[in-house]
Amino acid sequence: MRRRKSIYLSSNVANQYPTETLKNIIFDVVDIVDSFILDFGEEENIDSSSITKYEEKLGSFQRVTSSKVEAICLNKIKDDEKKKEFILKYGLALENLNEMEKKVFVATFIDGLTNNVIIKTLGLNSELLTTIRKSAIIRFSLKMGLNKFIHLYQ
């Protein structure tokens, strides 16, 4: 039985996916998640890099039920629920990554760090950074279902 050489996706697998296109989609997804968080007014409690707080805080979103705003809230409930589901899906996709993939993902897509800074901060070489980043991009994208949107970005 063959053993895996690495915990990251092999280059044979990674090269089957359009990682540059998926990278662009992920940047848009992070922007969307940040805007949803701002829309809920939860930016002090959660942000797009606070991976472990998503499930805790999503459960704490509360609907306003006073009679004056009840009609407005009822119209927004479906939209709000979908936004919450999207944020939760995002958080779960991040949780699906291994520890180093999460660090590289956050450094790349959320913190916007350059390759040199990431390499120095995480103690990687450029080849390993590329391998980890591709692995993170593909795993995150597949978990989020972003591969369905590739045709919109080409």
Side-chain angles (χ1 to χ4, degrees), residues 31-43:
D31 287 343
I32 290 167
V33 168
D34 283 341
S35 68
F36 287 174
I37 291 169
L38 287 170
D39 189 34
F40 287 122
E42 290 288 332
E43 62 275 8

Side-chain angles (χ1 to χ4, degrees), residues 47-111:
D47 61 39
S48 53
S49 65
S50 61
I51 299 160
T52 58
K53 294 181 182 180
Y54 277 103
E55 289 184 58
E56 295 171 21
K57 295 296 178 181
L58 277 176
S60 71
F61 289 139
Q62 296 189 7
R63 297 182 187 131
V64 180
T65 56
S66 68
S67 59
K68 293 180 183 179
V69 294
E70 191 170 354
I72 295 170
C73 288
L74 289 175
N75 292 332
K76 289 186 66 178
I77 285 174
K78 287 184 181 176
D79 290 339
D80 289 350
E81 290 299 320
K82 287 184 180 189
K83 289 177 184 178
K84 290 176 195 175
E85 287 174 16
F86 189 80
I87 294 170
L88 181 60
K89 192 172 184 180
Y90 172 88
L92 293 174
L94 286 174
E95 284 296 317
N96 192 52
L97 303 177
N98 68 44
E99 185 179 337
M100 189 56 75
E101 287 173 335
K102 284 181 202 174
K103 289 179 182 178
V104 169
F105 185 94
V106 169
T108 302
F109 296 105
I110 298 165
D111 297 338

Side-chain angles (χ1 to χ4, degrees), residues 44 90 97 117 132:
E44 292 178 9
Y90 172 88
L97 303 177
V117 173
I132 295 169

Side-chain angles (χ1 to χ4, degrees), residues 119-131:
I119 288 168
K120 288 178 185 174
T121 305
L122 299 178
L124 305 171
N125 61 47
S126 62
E127 186 178 320
L128 185 55
L129 174 62
T130 302
T131 300

